[in-house]
Amino acid sequence: MPFLGQDWRSPGWRWVKTEDGWKRCEPFSPALEDRSNQLNDISHAVILTGDDEDEEIYGTEDCEFAAKKRKKDHFRNNTDSQCFYREKWIYVHKESTRERHGYCTLGEAFNRLDFSSAIQDIRRFNYVVKLLQLIAKSQLTSLSGAAQKNYFNILDKIVRKVMEDQYNPRLIKDLLQDLSSTLCILIRGVGKSVLVGNINIWICRLETILLWQQQLKNLQMNKQVNNGLTLSDLPLHMLNNILYRFSDGWDIITLGQVTPTLYMLSEDRQLWKKLCQYHFAEKQFCRHLIPSEKGHIDWKLMYFALQKYYPIKEQYGDTLHFCRHCSILFWKDTGHPCTASDPDTCLMPVSPQHFIDLFKF
């Protein structure tokens, strides 16, 4: 007769990646185990003396409940003695199997992959912001209540980081604009779409977003006092090389507004031609040719015209990776317990849009 439980193999063990390889993580440390044993040794007959000096003896079941409660409080308060390992990867499965019951959702992946820590890494910051923007546009209602709460907590940390470090405020402004537009539509259409939670909660969240937008609008960039070498002191060929490293046209325009020299370099036709060739194919050029007054192709206008019709290539310092052998999604530097003989050949970088597509059913 077959076993009809959720997982006939038992829940399994937790594993920790070390220099010597993957090792099994024990549920709790020896120090915590000793403390747990002490809690278990509590007498099952607790004597309390009242005003009338009568003795009330609790039964065994009451004492066991009290001991469990004290043990639970100890686990919560004594965080130094805990050695639980929280995996920063998730197994992506889209259907129930004999080994795994249920399926992986977008909200579950969003909670498990530790995006709160990822935004502190400058290599992953733009990646996480772009992912939040895609979720705001179309997938916000597919998140669970816990995932939606986590979403706005991460967004709050992002806004705080931008206000403190003045790092890439334009990207956050676009995210908040898309999110506020989505929430306005969802709040007006209550009953037609699914919003987890009370409507007043979402109205408060929308008010918070409007407050964030006002704060970013009033953000003043701090001028750094530096008596050493500045950007303007660099030779022309070095400034030109810096501009050629940019993959976003708006970044080139913004840098060109700093000094007249940088403006002259930012208007170079060859610079914008290289940018168009990087992001778009030659077949796309032929459909949107924009000649200038002198008869030449205006590559700068071409770039922004093509951007309206075709997606541009995205560049990120670090991304999530997907293991085709294990079907696991993870951050590359944290790794995962891969069973392949050559794990590097199974890895595939995951773009923000690909991350969304992984959880569409």
Side-chain angles (χ1 to χ4, degrees):
M1 180 177 179
F3 180 72
L4 300 180
Q6 291 187 358
D7 190 348
W8 59 275
R9 304 179 308 171
S10 83
W13 296 93
R14 295 177 182 269
W15 296 84
V16 183
K17 187 177 182 181
T18 64
E19 296 180 355
D20 300 329
W22 289 89
K23 293 185 177 180
R24 194 173 69 191
C25 181
E26 297 297 334
F28 43 81
S29 63
L32 192 60
E33 185 176 7
D34 294 339
R35 176 60 180 166
S36 177
N37 293 333
Q38 292 176 10
L39 293 175
N40 288 331
D41 293 337
I42 296 176
S43 174
H44 292 291
V46 179
I47 300 177
L48 298 178
T49 303
D51 295 336
D52 55 358
E53 297 183 356
D54 292 335
E55 295 180 349
E56 180 181 358
I57 303 178
Y58 284 81
T60 304
E61 294 182 358
D62 295 333
C63 293
E64 288 180 354
F65 174 80
K68 289 180 179 179
K69 187 177 185 305
R70 282 189 291 271
K71 190 190 301 183
K72 186 176 181 180
D73 294 338
H74 177 75
F75 287 147
R76 289 179 177 177
N77 298 329
N78 193 0
T79 56
D80 294 336
S81 62
Q82 293 184 11
C83 65
F84 289 102
Y85 178 76
R86 181 185 175 186
E87 303 94 340
K88 297 181 181 180
W89 49 266
I90 185 170
Y91 179 83
V92 181
H93 53 112
K94 297 187 177 182
E95 59 183 5
S96 297
T97 63
R98 188 182 181 187
E99 294 81 9
R100 293 182 179 270
H101 181 70
Y103 55 89
C104 181
T105 63
L106 177 63
E108 184 182 357
F110 190 82
N111 287 334
R112 288 279 300 276
L113 290 172
D114 195 20
F115 290 107
S116 295
S117 300
I119 61 174
Q120 304 302 326
D121 190 336
I122 194 172
R123 301 172 302 163
R124 301 174 180 172
F125 183 83
N126 292 357
Y127 181 89
V128 176
V129 172
K130 181 64 176 179
L131 178 59
L132 264 63
Q133 188 174 15
L134 292 177
I135 293 176
K137 288 181 178 179
S138 60
Q139 300 296 321
L140 188 61
T141 56
S142 65
L143 297 179
S144 63
Q148 289 177 0
K149 185 177 180 180
N150 188 24
Y151 179 96
F152 282 93
N153 288 338
I154 294 174
L155 186 59
D156 181 43
K157 294 179 181 179
I158 290 176
V159 174
R160 290 182 184 179
K161 180 177 177 60
V162 173
M163 296 296 295
E164 294 174 359
D165 302 341
Q166 290 89 38
Y167 178 74
N168 208 344
R170 178 170 56 84
L171 188 62
I172 312 306
K173 290 178 182 178
D174 294 341
L175 165 60
L176 294 178
Q177 181 61 40
D178 292 336
L179 183 57
S180 61
S181 301
T182 301
L183 286 185
C184 286
I185 296 173
L186 293 176
I187 291 174
R188 286 198 216 101
V190 172
K192 300 179 181 179
S193 60
V194 179
L195 274 177
V196 180
N198 189 285
I199 186 63
N200 295 325
I201 296 176
W202 288 98
I203 293 176
C204 292
R205 286 173 176 173
L206 181 58
E207 293 175 351
T208 303
I209 293 171
L210 297 177
L211 177 62
W212 287 338
Q213 288 178 315
Q214 188 63 36
Q215 291 175 348
L216 291 173
K217 184 178 180 180
N218 299 331
L219 179 64
Q220 298 292 332
M221 306 299 288
N222 298 329
K223 291 185 178 180
Q224 296 183 355
V225 179
N226 189 358
N227 298 326
L229 188 67
T230 63
L231 187 65
S232 303
D233 298 327
L234 297 176
L236 288 179
H237 73 277
M238 293 186 68
L239 293 174
N240 199 41
N241 287 336
I242 292 174
L243 287 170
Y244 270 83
R245 297 296 186 275
F246 287 1
S247 61
D248 191 335
W250 284 110
D251 291 338
I252 295 176
I253 292 177
T254 303
L255 185 59
Q257 296 174 350
V258 177
T259 64
T261 302
L262 287 171
Y263 175 78
M264 177 193 66
L265 294 175
S266 66
E267 293 295 317
D268 182 22
R269 290 180 62 253
Q270 191 66 22
L271 171 65
W272 289 98
K273 181 179 179 180
K274 291 288 186 182
L275 193 63
C276 289
Q277 291 175 343
Y278 173 76
H279 287 289
F280 311 105
E282 293 185 4
K283 294 181 179 180
Q284 297 169 342
F285 296 161
C286 301
R287 301 175 184 176
H288 305 277
L289 288 176
I290 303 177
S292 62
E293 297 178 355
K294 298 181 180 180
H296 302 294
I297 297 177
D298 193 331
W299 292 104
K300 182 177 180 180
L301 292 179
M302 276 277 292
Y303 170 80
F304 290 104
L306 293 171
Q307 193 178 26
K308 296 178 181 179
Y309 298 98
Y310 310 104
I312 62 176
K313 291 183 179 179
E314 299 176 350
Q315 282 187 332
Y316 303 103
D318 190 16
T319 67
L320 288 169
H321 282 69
F322 181 74
C323 179
R324 292 187 293 266
H325 178 78
C326 305
S327 296
I328 287 179
L329 191 64
F330 63 100
W331 293 107
K332 190 174 182 180
D333 60 347
T334 59
H336 72 287
C338 187
T339 58
S341 56
D342 190 2
D344 293 337
T345 59
C346 305
L347 302 186
M348 177 179 64
V350 177
S351 67
Q353 184 59 54
H354 187 195
F355 178 89
I356 300 294
D357 295 338
L358 280 175
F359 303 97
K360 287 183 178 180
F361 302 103

